[in-house]
Amino acid sequence: MKIPKGLKKGDTIGLVGASSATPPEVLPKAVEAVEKLGFKVVVGDSCRERHGYLAGVDELRAKDVNEMFKNPDIDGIFCIRGGYGATKILPLLDYEMIKENPKVFVGYSDVTALHIAFNQRCELVTYHTPMPSTEFVKPEMDDYTWNSFLENITETERASFFLENPSNQRMTTLVPGEVTGPLIGGNLTLVTATLGTPYEIDTRGKLLFLEDIDEYERSIDRMLTQLKLAGKLDDAAGIILGAWTNCGPQNPNHPEQSLRLQTIFEEILVPSNKPILMDVACGHCLPTMSLPLGRTVRLISEKKVMEVIG
């Protein structure tokens, strides 16, 4: 895997909208937030365009991503937000060019589709992180989240470090065990959406990270079942579960008509008999940790240890 050069103050960041449109009133705040980190900013056309719910037509969004990788004056690329649309530009990206121009690439949620493609097709380490127009501008952005983000994008070549929750948030062991493998994954909806496509996630021997937001428990059940039937859970070396924000029963007044997420995890994931760590502070939540996708991680689930070692 190619580890991109770490960013430093004064470097230039390309902002791109690979997914949903950015509200025009939020754009200047997002740019300002990135500039406050000490970076210069180049705003891609996709951050200003709208095509219905998308940040411009597919060709424009793909062009922005391609040009930011190709431009030697751009040091890193931040997806300004998630939403929907990243899967639509996958066939339009120049993977060979991107592979030859490794750069820090960040985002999460819908950006999961790009993480999987870049990890697998470009052998590029990418970063599952909060984003400028959705988290950077929030007053509740905390020191833990900022520090995790900045350490990941500036100290990219660290040989060994631990991925740890905030001190007041405990991880939970679902299945004990120790295993080592490349860290992959992201949003469960997007991971599942790759199945049956040329960009299908390859979980063989890897640690599969999953999180999601605003899904009924039965939807989580359906998607995890699809991953299981596709052999993705059996292929994985281990599983890491992040935040499941606002994922609950369709009818909260009748909980007996649903299954708790804990029950779903126990019925679908535990039989794989792979080490599983849950309640990891990562996903659609604050505070949230940033993850170096593609780096090799040692998972010791009973000790709640995730150590990046390669």
Side-chain angles (χ1 to χ4, degrees):
M1 297 294 292
K2 295 183 178 180
I3 299 175
K5 181 181 178 182
L7 298 173
K8 62 184 184 302
K9 287 188 176 181
D11 280 349
T12 300
I13 302 302
L15 285 186
V16 298
S19 306
S20 289
T22 301
E25 68 275 12
V26 178
L27 178 57
K29 298 176 184 178
V31 172
E32 181 183 8
V34 178
E35 290 176 338
K36 282 185 176 179
L37 298 177
F39 301 121
K40 301 172 186 175
V41 178
V42 172
V43 179
D45 292 338
S46 55
C47 296
R48 296 189 175 95
E49 292 295 322
R50 175 179 289 276
H51 177 61
Y53 39 78
L54 300 167
V57 296
D58 299 345
E59 291 77 11
L60 172 69
R61 302 196 320 281
K63 178 173 176 286
D64 260 7
V65 174
N66 283 329
E67 289 189 349
M68 292 298 185
F69 272 104
K70 188 175 182 179
N71 187 343
D73 295 327
I74 301 296
D75 301 295
I77 302 166
F78 292 3
C79 289
I80 193 167
R81 63 161 299 177
Y84 170 71
T87 52
K88 295 169 69 67
I89 69 172
L90 292 178
L92 304 176
L93 298 177
D94 187 343
Y95 296 103
E96 285 303 315
M97 180 275 296
I98 292 170
K99 186 174 183 178
E100 295 303 316
N101 294 275
K103 298 178 183 182
V104 167
F105 177 84
V106 312
Y108 82 110
S109 193
D110 191 62
V111 182
T112 294
L114 299 180
H115 286 310
I116 294 171
F118 293 160
N119 290 165
Q120 295 182 178
R121 294 199 167 206
C122 305
E123 299 177 338
L124 175 63
V125 171
T126 60
Y127 298 87
H128 184 287
T129 77
M131 295 177 288
S133 77
T134 48
E135 284 81 27
F136 288 13
V137 298
K138 288 184 177 180
E140 58 266 38
M141 270 289 280
D142 56 282
D143 289 342
Y144 168 89
T145 301
W146 278 125
N147 290 337
S148 180
F149 172 76
L150 290 171
E151 287 173 359
N152 268 274
I153 67 170
T154 62
E155 302 175 30
T156 57
E157 296 181 292
R158 285 180 292 171
S160 175
F161 58 98
F162 292 93
L163 301 170
E164 300 176 312
N165 266 13
S167 58
N168 63 342
Q169 296 186 30
R170 287 183 57 82
M171 299 178 188
T172 304
T173 301
L174 190 57
V175 177
E178 178 176 347
V179 70
T180 298
L183 180 62
I184 62 165
N187 182 263
L188 173 60
T189 299
L190 273 298
V191 169
T192 307
T194 69
L195 299 182
T197 76
Y199 311 95
E200 181 169 313
I201 191 168
D202 181 0
T203 64
R204 290 174 294 180
K206 300 175 182 178
L207 298 180
L208 177 60
F209 168 73
L210 298 170
E211 63 84 33
D212 219 319
I213 184 173
D214 293 340
E215 295 287 351
Y216 293 135
E217 287 168 327
R218 66 181 184 184
S219 297
I220 302 297
D221 186 324
R222 183 188 68 246
M223 289 185 283
L224 290 177
T225 297
Q226 187 174 357
L227 290 181
K228 180 176 182 178
L229 294 175
K232 300 303 179 181
L233 303 183
D234 288 336
D235 286 347
I239 299 170
I240 298 169
L241 300 175
W244 302 90
T245 304
N246 196 29
C247 291
Q250 184 171 1
N251 190 345
N253 295 324
H254 293 279
E256 75 281 358
Q257 296 178 7
S258 183
L259 293 172
R260 294 169 55 246
L261 285 178
Q262 178 75 23
T263 301
I264 292 169
F265 296 153
E266 290 173 352
E267 292 182 352
I268 299 176
L269 302 181
V270 171
S272 69
N273 201 31
K274 306 296 173 68
I276 303 176
L277 185 63
M278 61 184 294
D279 295 326
V280 173
C282 185
H284 291 77
C285 61
L286 286 175
T288 189
M289 74 171 68
S290 293
L291 300 175
L293 298 174
R295 292 290 298 268
T296 299
V297 173
R298 177 186 294 121
L299 170 66
I300 310 176
S301 57
E302 63 267 36
K303 295 184 178 180
K304 288 82 173 177
V305 168
M306 296 184 292
E307 181 184 9
V308 178
I309 60 172

